[in-house]
Amino acid sequence: MAKFDLKGMLSERSTQEMDLPEQKTVYRNPEDLIPSKDNFYSTEDTEKLKQSIKVLGILQPLLIEERDGKDYILAGHSRRKCCLELIEEGMDRFRKVPCVYKPKIELSTASEEDEIIRKIIIIQSNTYREKTDWEKMTEALQMEELVKELREKTDLEGKTREIVSDLIGVSSTQIGRYHSISNNLSERLADAFRQNKLNISTAAELAGLNEKYQTKACELLENAGQLALNDAKLLKAQQEQERNIPGQLTIEQALHPHKPEEVNTVIPVDIQIDRFYESLRKNIETYVRKSDLNMTTYMLSALYGTVRVRNGHLNYQGSKEGIIFNTGSDQEELISWTDFSKKLIEKYGKKQKPVKMATVDEPEELTIKEAITTFHDEFPNKFTRMMRAIRPAKNNHESAVMAQKVLAPCGFSSLSGSGVMNYEFRGMSAGAKFECKGRTLNTSYRYLVEQARFMYDPFSPEFDDPEDQSAAGVPDNLQQDDFVEATKIEEHIVENNKMSDHAGDIAEMVSADSSETSIQPPLPVMKNNDQRKEWLRKYKEWGLWYTDEHIGVRYYKYDFENGTRLIVEEYDPEPVHNSSWALNELYYMHLVGGPEPERNNGIPKWTYHSKYNKYPNSETELVEFLKGVQK
């Protein structure tokens, strides 16, 4: 049997077609054109194409082939369908559509082989079109079958998958992936894949599930309308965990007539944590070893949220809040999923190299109680002015404004004599900074006066000194001296430090899990997008988190229960000379961590960053995020 070079033959055919005179456009009635029975490309969602044809007409002629006196469509089934629908709507101008005949080239092969090659040519004729993942899979698998059929009838050169790869540009690995989906995906999921409700990656992940978990996937798909890749991965992790949940019986043991009773033995929590980690599946163990707190927390809560194990080796009960060890005993201990993940990461995670500070080592933070007490003792005059100023205020916001008016002119106080505290009071949005015994505290005026009211009564006789200046008065000589000293210090900092020295400060600030210095307000119930936007724009109410004095940037943050942190980066406005406009601060918002976003037709609803990233999230993205948080 002679060697048969398919690729060379098709290449020769293309050359012959190029040598033919330009094909003439002919006009045919779409009702007379016969669709190819071998066409598997979707002709369902054609509304947009129909509207385009209605306005612009047929821009690309249909490719047809004459056989036995009849015209068959090779490419253009969707365009034909749209024209038929427009004719039914009374538009007779579409009874004639432009077509081009495929050149008749002699293939020098038997008629049966010609039919196979004709089918191959139909697939090649549609390579230009936009295709769904299901159509790409069907195209590749059909092409592979056609090459196999041709191999049975001829001595075809080359390996089957290599030939397919050359013809339609699909790798052998991808063809293997297509086979896995085609052979293992359930009928309901395959139908969803055909309707473009699943992308190729999600379909491949679901194909690895057993019947039980594919049924679960169908239920999730019906409820949500679509399935993301992360949903499929979670189902696969649940399936794997079911085979070997720490301390859980196997299926054979569970079905055995002599199933052992639960052993409610009290076991030290530290020992149980070690045993729990030793039994973890590789996928979760990987997140622990990578010190990925968000994914570790997410996977543990999802997989063990309803698991109960009491077998003498382990004694725990999973819940929505966390994992409960030694349930029902006097040594019962509840550990939240976040804290439990931290314990595992601390014990078994890969140690992260500390980020080197450029100039100053940041010590542990000062508590607000210590700061207020020391400020009261070290600077009684300034503290008295503040307490007298906040007396008549109606609410905490007014108190903060009055305190800022009194304290802001005080500037910066350097250490001198027996003093132990530095302080710096800035604008309303920047708040106050205290330094005492090598520790620092950044706080908002609002939180400062809230705690000052709690610790000291503003109506106490201690603050009734009639000789004291009014709350909003001009700073005394001491304050002026402090302000002059502050200017010198700031000039010294600017002169001796460069921006490059502090390039790592922001990264360290957002990655550090420092103690909080302000009370985070609860997340309100937001019923519409306007309320969500208003909440985002009032980020200053969250309280100041961190100030980078080197570049004049202030940071605010809000921590959500799902592990996501929203960071606001705020800059002072650029001054505009000879203008009466009062400019607002310039700010950018960054979502960090938490679960990955939901997807709409495969597109994430917001940009996801596992770590702090210089590219901000838009307000529209954040509105979608808030919707998901409060579902």
Side-chain angles (χ1 to χ4, degrees), residues 217-270:
C218 291
E219 293 171 358
L220 289 173
L221 184 61
E222 289 175 1
N223 293 333
Q226 62 179 12
L227 271 181
L229 178 59
N230 275 352
D231 298 324
K233 286 184 176 180
L234 181 58
L235 288 170
K236 191 169 185 179
Q238 288 175 339
Q239 175 180 286
E240 292 178 357
Q241 276 311 108
E242 190 177 72
R243 298 171 186 165
N244 189 21
I245 292 177
Q248 181 168 300
L249 299 175
T250 64
I251 294 176
E252 290 75 13
Q253 291 171 327
L255 297 176
H256 198 274
H258 300 292
K259 179 182 175 181
E261 297 181 358
E262 290 184 346
V263 181
N264 198 17
T265 305
V266 175
I267 306 169
V269 173
D270 288 342

Side-chain angles (χ1 to χ4, degrees), residues 301-344:
S301 61
L303 294 175
Y304 297 99
T306 57
V307 173
R308 170 176 170 171
V309 176
R310 298 182 186 181
N311 59 7
H313 182 73
L314 286 165
N315 184 347
Y316 69 84
Q317 169 71 58
S319 69
K320 183 178 180 181
E321 292 74 24
I323 185 168
I324 308 171
F325 289 104
N326 299 318
T327 313
S329 71
D330 56 355
Q331 297 184 34
E332 178 177 301
E333 182 175 346
L334 169 63
I335 305 177
S336 70
W337 291 116
T338 301
D339 290 340
F340 186 46
S341 300
K342 287 179 179 178
K343 287 179 180 291
L344 291 174

Side-chain angles (χ1 to χ4, degrees), residues 230 292 294-295 510 562-567 569 588-597 599 604-618 621-622 625:
N230 275 352
D292 189 334
N294 290 327
M295 282 305 297
V510 297
N562 64 0
T564 308
R565 172 171 285 180
L566 176 57
I567 298 174
E569 174 186 4
Y588 304 94
M589 295 190 167
H590 308 259
L591 274 180
V592 181
E596 293 193 9
R599 292 177 176 265
K605 293 186 176 181
W606 63 86
T607 304
Y608 177 81
H609 298 294
S610 61
K611 296 181 180 180
Y612 183 84
N613 193 290
K614 67 178 181 179
Y615 299 105
N617 294 86
S618 67
E621 289 181 302
L622 296 173
F625 168 76

